Amino acid sequence: MAERAQHVDAGTLESSDFRLVIGGERVRGDEQLDVIDPATGKVFARAPAASHAQLDEAVRAARTAFEMWRATTYAERAELVRAFTKKLRERQNELAELLTREQGKPLSQSIAEIDRGAAQSDGMITIEIPVEVLIDDADRRIELKYRPLGVVGIITPWNAPVNLALGPLVSALYTGNTVVLKPSPYTPLTTLELGEIAREIFPAGVVNVLAGGDDLGKWMTEHPGIDKISFTGSVETGKKVAAAAAATLKRVTLELGGNDPAIILDDVDPKAIAKKVFFASFVNSGQVCMAIKRIYAHEKIYDALCEALVEEARKAKVGNGLDPDTQLGPIQNKMQYDKVRSILEDTKKSGARILCGGEVPEGDGYFIPPTLVTDIDEKSRLVQEEQFGPIVPILKFSDVEDAIRRANDTRYGLSGSVWTNDLERGKAIAERLEVGTAWVNQHRATSAFVPFGGAKESGLGRQYSIVGLKGYMEPEVISIAKK
Ligand code: NAD
């Protein structure tokens, strides 16, 4: 955390009255975190940060509340979740402004993020998890039931703090678990506000929210009082989470990074798809796990597609997310800004051709313009790594088999897409992508009723849908001998 501290005059802080939520109480942090506005690079707020002792308190509160919460019905829990999302919607505009301040994304996209999170939450609580009768004959009856796990620790990243908290939070609560939720140290504020709303709705101890640094995440993964970790973040940290969870055999759901390919076939009109492909690559300035991160375009439409994408990039307005005209905000934090700049430098040095963007403006905010790159070596960092920023390579292919092989030649496997007018052919190619989700003529579509998660090193388990919900539960067989 120390490297994140900046010169700050406490008098200039716009807000330092955020609180942790532990056992239904608003609590000061034993420590503090500075929160930086990425559009200015300046500290604008201060958040409480939890000590290990405060984590212990939160886990105790969650364990105590679990005994009562597990005995409630799905319908009772669903009703409280609905009351929670209603309050969330009432405060949507105010929360969206806070989200834009801490995260950087345009205000309209902050509103959309809260809206999507609330809608997906409302969707999930309509899913039934029935008792499955496996055998029922003259001799025996065998049922498969699902029961809650206990205390779920939720750890989230900084790119979509509200949406990525709500998915696991509502999954855990609806299935009868209690929660300790920890946001990224870069974006703690809106999540603390979610805690304040939850505090008004749920019984004390059911939802505990602790901001803190990476250490707090590590303590959670090691904590014997936590039964499951739902982690969203990078592959590198995900592996540490899995290793730490092994000590107590905690259940884990890992939603990790991606290097999504989009394969664009020769029968599309590049102009017709350019806007969709551009925004699926650059929305939130590329800081989306399931953004398009590599574009494979057939040689027949390659030049026209490059031209159409460059036109979109030139039109896109980059700026402070609070400005209503802004379409692309800053990179969320200095660490990521430096990483994306270093990939950009590496790309330039490699001799690749920058079609547009590529120059980082002077000034305080962490801004990088949308940058499209061609003639790039497949082995370069930009193609191999998850760039998680507004710089995307366009790679040429002539044989679709070659495109599929290159698209799959990665340790990542989050999602991918195929773009074509021939839906059957698109589906056949999509089925060969080694990913958790393969789209045809779209990218980045999710729903409460559709499981989302990664293949290969992009994750373990799924969020959303009955598949995701069952990940917050223990299957239990009840086997009755009738004779
Ligand atoms: P990160 O892994 O650095 O941090 C994520 C969270 O883990 C933070 O809250 C952090 O404090 C915590 N943490 C750090 N060290 C920890 C440890 N040892 N044990 C436990 N927790 C620890 O990731 P980030 O930079 O915040 O987020 C960006 C990454 O998240 C990208 O790779 C992106 O693709 C991925 N992501 C994945 C999804 C998905 O659904 N698959 C969604 C959004 C983002």
Side-chain angles (χ1 to χ4, degrees):
M1 250 182 284
E3 75 277 11
R4 298 188 54 240
Q6 296 219 337
H7 298 294
V8 56
D9 166 4
T12 66
L13 284 181
E14 290 166 35
S15 183
S16 55
D17 57 1
F18 296 92
R19 292 285 183 274
L20 311 174
V21 174
I22 302 177
E25 301 291 329
R26 300 181 78 236
V27 178
R28 283 178 192 281
D30 284 344
E31 290 161 35
Q32 291 206 321
L33 272 174
D34 291 337
V35 187
I36 293 169
D37 177 343
T40 63
K42 303 268 188 313
V43 175
F44 79 102
R46 193 160 276 164
S51 62
H52 202 305
Q54 289 182 310
L55 170 63
D56 290 341
E57 271 176 55
V59 173
R60 258 197 309 276
R63 289 226 76 82
T64 306
F66 177 59
E67 290 314 313
M68 166 277 303
W69 188 243
R70 71 187 305 178
T72 55
T73 63
Y74 283 103
E76 286 164 342
R77 298 192 293 259
E79 197 179 315
L80 291 189
V81 170
R82 257 190 301 276
F84 174 71
T85 55
K86 183 165 180 276
K87 279 245 167 193
L88 191 61
R89 287 198 172 94
E90 282 164 14
R91 291 189 53 195
Q92 185 167 13
N93 289 346
E94 163 216 342
L95 288 176
E97 193 170 324
L98 185 63
L99 180 56
T100 290
R101 286 301 302 278
E102 67 173 344
Q103 204 286 330
K105 66 182 60 179
L107 199 52
S108 59
Q109 289 168 28
S110 290
I111 292 171
E113 177 178 334
I114 297 168
D115 211 38
R116 194 168 60 248
Q120 296 195 147
S121 300
D122 287 346
M124 274 190 293
I125 55 171
T126 65
I127 298 173
E128 285 183 25
I129 305 169
V131 173
E132 296 162 37
V133 179
L134 304 181
I135 294 178
D136 192 12
D137 59 21
D139 299 328
R140 59 209 169 132
R141 179 179 169 92
I142 303 182
E143 292 180 355
L144 177 58
K145 304 177 73 158
Y146 293 87
R147 57 179 160 82
L149 291 168
V151 177
V152 175
I154 300 172
I155 302 174
T156 59
W158 43 257
N159 62 323
V162 174
N163 196 28
L164 296 173
L166 286 177
L169 176 68
V170 170
S171 302
L173 295 177
Y174 176 55
T175 50
N177 302 278
T178 55
V179 164
V180 178
L181 165 63
K182 181 200 104 67
S184 164
Y186 294 112
T187 51
L189 303 179
T190 7
T191 310
L192 289 169
E193 290 299 302
L194 293 185
E196 299 269 3
I197 298 174
R199 192 180 148 264
E200 293 171 23
I201 308 276
F202 295 98
V206 170
V207 179
N208 303 275
V209 181
L210 305 180
D214 294 349
D215 280 353
L216 176 61
K218 183 169 175 289
W219 300 333
M220 287 169 69
T221 61
E222 293 164 350
H223 206 292
I226 292 182
D227 302 287
K228 176 190 169 104
I229 295 287
S230 176
F231 172 83
T232 309
S234 62
V235 170
E236 287 62 34
T237 313
K239 288 178 182 175
K240 290 184 195 163
V241 170
T248 49
L249 279 183
K250 281 182 183 49
R251 280 31 180 176
V252 289
T253 300
L254 303 176
E255 291 285 345
L256 310 179
N259 194 1
D260 284 15
I263 299 180
I264 320 248
L265 302 187
D266 56 359
D267 64 350
V268 298
D269 172 1
K271 279 205 170 122
I273 63 162
K275 198 181 239 358
K276 274 194 192 170
V277 172
F278 178 79
F279 277 100
S281 310
F282 288 95
V283 72
N284 203 14
S285 293
Q287 302 165 108
V288 176
C289 56
M290 54 177 142
I292 296 174
K293 298 191 174 116
R294 296 173 289 153
I295 299 172
Y296 288 95
H298 190 274
E299 60 184 358
K300 204 171 127 204
I301 48 94
Y302 185 82
D303 290 337
L305 182 73
C306 289
E307 206 176 293
L309 288 173
V310 165
E311 204 180 312
E312 293 298 329
R314 297 228 159 96
K315 278 193 294 200
K317 181 156 185 317
V318 180
N320 188 320
L322 293 175
D323 176 344
D325 293 335
T326 294
Q327 289 168 295
L328 302 176
I331 302 301
Q332 199 280 323
N333 58 68
K334 179 77 164 53
M335 174 276 297
Q336 187 64 21
Y337 176 65
D338 289 343
K339 181 181 160 195
V340 177
R341 282 195 312 175
S342 117
I343 290 178
L344 183 58
E345 283 317 305
D346 184 78
T347 303
K348 285 180 178 168
K349 271 201 211 115
S350 77
R353 196 153 63 91
I354 309 278
L355 286 183
C356 62
E359 294 305 322
V360 178
E362 298 286 320
D364 290 331
Y366 308 141
F367 292 100
I368 298 180
T371 300
L372 287 157
V373 177
T374 58
D375 300 339
I376 183 163
D377 182 348
E378 201 96 5
K379 293 275 166 268
S380 65
R381 284 183 66 195
L382 178 59
V383 182
Q384 294 293 319
E385 291 180 22
E386 181 189 40
Q387 65 272 50
F388 220 59
I391 162 165
V392 176
I394 315 175
L395 303 129
K396 197 185 283 187
F397 71 89
S398 51
D399 170 12
V400 77
E401 289 301 319
D402 178 50
I404 296 169
R405 185 191 54 74
R406 288 155 68 192
N408 284 335
D409 185 18
T410 168
R411 67 188 179 118
Y412 294 98
L414 192 58
S415 33
S417 57
V418 183
W419 299 72
T420 173
N421 290 326
D422 181 343
L423 299 186
E424 280 309 307
R425 188 167 172 230
K427 178 168 175 280
I429 295 169
E431 282 170 355
R432 293 177 59 195
L433 294 178
E434 295 162 359
V435 293
T437 305
W439 290 286
V440 176
N441 293 334
Q442 58 177 345
H443 202 111
R444 224 173 69 82
T446 59
S447 145
F449 307 105
V450 180
F452 183 79
K456 298 180 177 172
E457 291 193 17
S458 285
L460 209 58
R462 295 291 182 268
Q463 297 283 11
Y464 304 112
S465 81
I466 191 160
V467 179
L469 291 176
K470 283 181 178 173
Y472 290 81
M473 307 189 87
E474 191 68 47
E476 180 181 17
V477 171
I478 313 290
S479 186
I480 302 162
K482 293 185 180 174
K483 288 182 183 159

